[in-house]
Amino acid sequence: DAGVIQSPRHEVTEMGQEVTLRCKPISGHNSLFWYRQTMMRGLELLIYFNNNVPIDDSGMPEDRFSAKMPNASFSTLKIQPSEPRDSAVYFCASRPSLIGGWGELFFGEGSRLTVL
Amino acid sequence: KQEVTQIPAALSVPEGENLVLNCSFTDSAIYNLQWFRQDPGKGLTSLLLIQSSQREQTSGRLNASLDKSSGRSTLYIAASQPGDSATYLCAVTTQDGGSQGNLIFGKGTKLSVKP
């Protein structure tokens, strides 16, 4: 398997523009996470899905952020409008469910976002 | 609410030394605990996953142990090498029924192995 695939790897945009980050989880994994990482705040959970259903979105900063998972093989994280403080590395991760628990979590390589 | 703590925040050791990284968690109701490594500017790489029914896992020079009752895990690195320099993070998957397997991360220990 190719692992968790994220795109774009790098994005530079201007304040006010819409940003869409994409993630393809590992095939067969039914749990997907979006994280944001900055030097100041470390690794922050934004939202996670189980079986394409959002379970906990309490980490989504505000209404400018939205995430969707229309099917088991694709998820998007959208920021509209973007602001300089959104500059960070955004990670997607996925894992399988197991009988009575959860399997190993695998991360993508991240999308580095810079908002000017 | 589950909290995960990693102490120390940073550690520097000479090459060849055996070392232990610590991870503690406040709620023993977990599904599993996972150790990750992160190199600067890179993503997180999974090192070891310990299910709640297990006591330890080994991979090469790495050995991770889990003591659920005391809320502790350790990552043992044998014969450390400069290439082991990275930030090591632990994460637990909670059994909190409302969260359906939420994953809580510690803030990591930054390891530097000096040649």
Side-chain angles (χ1 to χ4, degrees):
Chain A
D1 200 309
V4 177
I5 299 173
Q6 291 187 245
S7 64
R9 292 292 313 279
H10 302 274
E11 172 105 3
V12 180
T13 190
E14 293 188 347
M15 184 173 64
Q17 296 298 307
E18 177 178 295
V19 174
T20 300
L21 307 178
R22 298 172 178 81
C23 176
K24 176 178 168 56
I26 293 172
S27 177
H29 286 192
N30 59 345
S31 186
L32 182 142
F33 295 74
W34 282 101
Y35 289 92
R36 176 172 70 175
Q37 188 175 42
T38 61
M39 290 291 290
M40 291 292 293
R41 301 173 69 96
L43 194 66
E44 301 176 276
L45 174 66
L46 299 176
I47 186 171
Y48 77 98
F49 297 84
N50 285 345
N51 296 311
N52 312 337
V53 176
I55 301 301
D56 185 351
D57 64 355
S58 60
M60 295 286 265
E62 49 201 86
D63 291 345
R64 297 185 297 108
F65 285 68
S66 63
K68 294 182 180 179
M69 191 163 187
N71 57 62
S73 59
F74 184 66
S75 178
T76 59
L77 178 67
K78 187 173 292 188
I79 308 172
Q80 167 62 20
S82 58
E83 298 181 2
R85 60 190 168 125
D86 301 330
S87 297
V89 180
Y90 290 80
F91 289 106
C92 177
S94 72
R95 67 179 178 186
S97 61
L98 304 174
I99 296 175
W102 300 94
E104 193 172 2
L105 183 72
F106 291 92
F107 278 76
E109 295 192 1
S111 294
R112 182 175 295 276
L113 174 65
T114 302
V115 184
L116 303 175
Chain B
K1 180 183 175 183
Q2 178 75 270
E3 292 183 3
V4 179
T5 304
Q6 294 185 248
I7 295 174
L11 180 65
S12 181
V13 300
E15 182 177 4
E17 192 163 296
N18 302 325
L19 61 99
V20 173
L21 305 180
N22 297 295
C23 173
S24 61
F25 47 96
T26 55
D27 187 344
S28 62
I30 63 171
Y31 285 112
N32 60 43
L33 184 144
Q34 194 168 351
W35 283 93
F36 297 86
R37 165 188 176 138
Q38 186 174 30
D39 294 285
K42 303 290 186 181
L44 281 75
T45 300
S46 177
L47 297 174
L48 290 164
L49 171 71
I50 311 177
Q51 298 292 354
S52 61
S53 58
Q54 299 172 323
R55 295 300 301 267
E56 65 177 339
Q57 285 287 334
T58 298
S59 176
R61 294 184 293 108
L62 305 180
N63 176 278
S65 67
L66 174 64
D67 184 341
K68 260 184 50 174
S69 60
S70 67
R72 293 183 180 184
S73 176
T74 61
L75 179 67
Y76 174 83
I77 303 177
S80 59
Q81 303 170 358
D84 295 329
S85 298
T87 297
Y88 291 80
L89 298 99
C90 69
V92 298
T93 298
T94 66
Q95 288 188 358
D96 176 359
S99 295
Q100 294 192 37
N102 196 0
L103 200 72
I104 309 296
F105 275 86
K107 294 189 182 301
T109 295
K110 185 175 182 179
L111 173 66
S112 176
V113 181
K114 306 290 187 185

